Amino acid sequence: MQDGATDTTLRILHLEDSPADQQLTRLTLRRAGWNADILAVDTLQAFQDALDHMDCEVVLADYHLPGFTALDAWALLTRHPNPPPFILLSGAIGEAAAVEAIRQGMADYVLKDDLARLPHVIERALEVHNARKAQARAAAELAASRQSLAELTEHLQTSIEQERAAIAREIHDDIGGALTAVLFDLSWIGRHAQQAPVQEHAQAATAMLQHALGASQRIMMNLRPPMLDQGLVAALQWLADNFGQRTGIAVTLQLCSARMDLTDAVQLVAYRTAQEALTNISKYAQATIVRMELTDTEDVLTLEVTDNGRGFDPAAPARPRSFGLQGLRERARTVGGWLDVSSRPGQGSSVILSVPLHPLPDSGDVP
């Protein structure tokens, strides 16, 4: 018994109009130790009926049959999902015909005067077929995993932004309000106190409270700037001005229009991208000039943040612990966009976000 032989019955559909050749094929497989359940048909209609009602694992087919060829049978087979291996078992068909058959996707071909090769060819065709099925399953599982990851990322980002907004409201309404009230009371005490030490303490406490109020405002703005309610352009203008004042680095913002009609999700992704890019510049770039450009031409929103800093290794954003840029890439995917990062040591860096404003209907592919 050959290595490929098994006690499991192999279901074979045999397209052959010669009873002698049908019998010889059965005998060859039996001698090789194969348990084969072979259904022989000799017309295209019978072949189609067998495909509809038989769960065959291998198809053997003569090339020339009355009124049609194996190419016609192959065309029928390929209409079925996950078609089994199709092996030509024929007389001399010519090299050109054999090459064309393989080019179209048939598994192999065996000449009738070399029938002893058939068991080995079937075994090899089944191995290739099963490997392709396993690869397809793995690809489907990977696609499903990526889709689940994308959905989880979107859910987490949404939850984070909701929590940021809630914390920002609490800082504004509760902490900010309380600090302001205390500031008024201290100011009153400073104005009405008669003793110099009390006045000095009141003035020191007032200064500390003003510092705390400023810090709470900065934290609130970083969590979720109210300017986003006025649109992305206003939010980026505030971000650029604030960054320049805080770091002393000159920032220019170029716009193609003063107002853009964007969804809240797209605006938030673009704003967070600019915010993260500026944060990285302030921490690592040692830049003196930063340029931000926002356009919405050709139905694509493009945000580019470039600097003249020291640059970095282009492979750095792909490293496992480069969570900032990886997070931005995942954010971009949640709105159907993508992120490009480029840099050269000593020649600055560039972060480009691109988001289609009117994405095509989902084709089922995973980015």
Side-chain angles (χ1 to χ4, degrees):
M1 183 176 290
Q2 292 189 358
D3 294 341
T6 175
D7 292 335
T8 303
T9 300
L10 183 67
R11 298 180 299 277
I12 298 177
L13 178 58
H14 190 190
L15 183 58
E16 174 61 67
D17 63 334
S18 169
D21 288 339
Q22 294 174 8
Q23 186 60 31
L24 187 58
T25 300
R26 294 174 186 272
L27 182 60
T28 300
L29 293 178
R30 189 179 303 121
R31 286 176 176 174
W34 288 82
N35 295 321
D37 179 12
I38 303 177
L39 174 62
V41 296
D42 58 5
T43 68
L44 203 57
Q45 183 59 54
F47 181 77
Q48 176 65 72
D49 293 341
L51 290 178
D52 292 338
H53 299 95
M54 177 186 178
D55 185 19
C56 62
E57 297 170 272
V58 177
V59 174
L60 305 177
D62 194 1
Y63 188 82
H64 293 290
L65 296 115
F68 65 100
T69 70
L71 296 179
D72 299 306
W74 170 249
L76 291 177
L77 181 65
T78 54
R79 297 176 187 174
H80 289 251
N82 192 29
F86 188 101
I87 300 172
L88 280 177
L89 180 57
S90 184
I93 62 173
E95 183 178 351
V99 170
E100 176 62 18
I102 299 301
R103 189 191 68 80
Q104 291 199 22
M106 298 182 194
D108 210 332
Y109 73 96
V110 178
L111 296 177
K112 289 182 178 180
D113 59 3
D114 192 15
L115 205 56
R117 290 185 56 245
L118 181 61
H120 173 69
V121 170
I122 292 177
E123 178 185 353
R124 184 175 60 187
L126 287 172
E127 289 175 352
V128 172
H129 181 67
N130 291 333
R132 287 175 177 171
K133 287 201 300 184
Q135 185 180 27
R137 284 195 302 269
E141 291 171 0
L142 179 60
S145 176
R146 286 176 173 172
Q147 180 63 28
S148 297
L149 177 61
E151 292 172 356
L152 175 61
T153 300
E154 184 174 2
H155 171 71
L156 291 176
Q157 294 293 354
T158 300
S159 299
I160 289 171
E161 291 300 338
Q162 290 174 346
E163 190 67 20
R164 282 173 177 251
I167 294 173
R169 285 194 299 271
E170 289 186 13
I171 291 175
H172 179 271
D173 298 340
D174 296 337
I175 298 177
L179 289 176
T180 301
V182 173
L183 181 63
F184 286 153
D185 288 341
L186 281 173
S187 298
W188 186 89
I189 292 172
R191 290 193 305 271
H192 295 82
Q194 301 297 324
Q195 299 175 345
V198 174
Q199 291 180 342
E200 292 175 359
H201 280 290
Q203 291 173 356
T206 299
M208 289 297 297
L209 273 174
Q210 289 175 336
H211 175 76
L213 276 170
S216 68
Q217 288 292 321
R218 288 195 304 274
I219 294 171
M220 182 186 68
M221 297 295 278
N222 286 330
L223 286 170
R224 192 188 187 284
M227 279 73 69
L228 270 175
D229 297 330
Q230 303 174 26
L232 178 61
V233 171
L236 290 181
Q237 287 174 333
W238 173 84
L239 186 64
D241 293 342
N242 180 264
F243 179 83
Q245 294 171 4
R246 183 164 46 86
T247 64
I249 301 174
V251 182
T252 59
L253 176 61
Q254 297 181 357
L255 305 166
C256 68
S257 61
R259 188 170 184 82
M260 299 179 181
D261 185 17
L262 306 170
T263 65
D264 291 343
V266 170
Q267 289 188 110
L268 191 55
V269 168
Y271 178 81
R272 293 302 183 199
T273 299
Q275 187 181 43
E276 179 70 17
L278 291 177
T279 298
N280 288 339
I281 290 171
S282 66
K283 287 182 177 179
Y284 312 114
Q286 299 178 2
T288 58
I289 298 175
V290 177
R291 181 174 63 87
M292 289 200 297
E293 183 176 357
L294 183 69
T295 62
D296 60 352
T297 57
E298 298 182 357
D299 264 355
V300 175
L301 177 73
T302 302
L303 170 67
E304 181 174 2
V305 183
T306 59
D307 67 77
N308 67 341
R310 63 179 182 176
F312 55 84
D313 179 1
R319 290 174 183 165
R321 299 190 65 82
S322 297
F323 296 125
L325 292 174
Q326 288 184 25
L328 290 182
R329 286 193 172 93
E330 293 301 324
R331 276 183 178 273
R333 290 192 185 102
T334 64
V335 291
W338 59 91
L339 191 77
D340 294 314
V341 180
S342 61
S343 180
R344 291 183 182 179
Q347 299 187 34
S349 60
S350 174
V351 176
I352 304 175
L353 170 71
S354 303
V355 181
L357 298 180
H358 298 90
L360 295 174
D362 186 8
S363 62
D365 295 334
V366 177

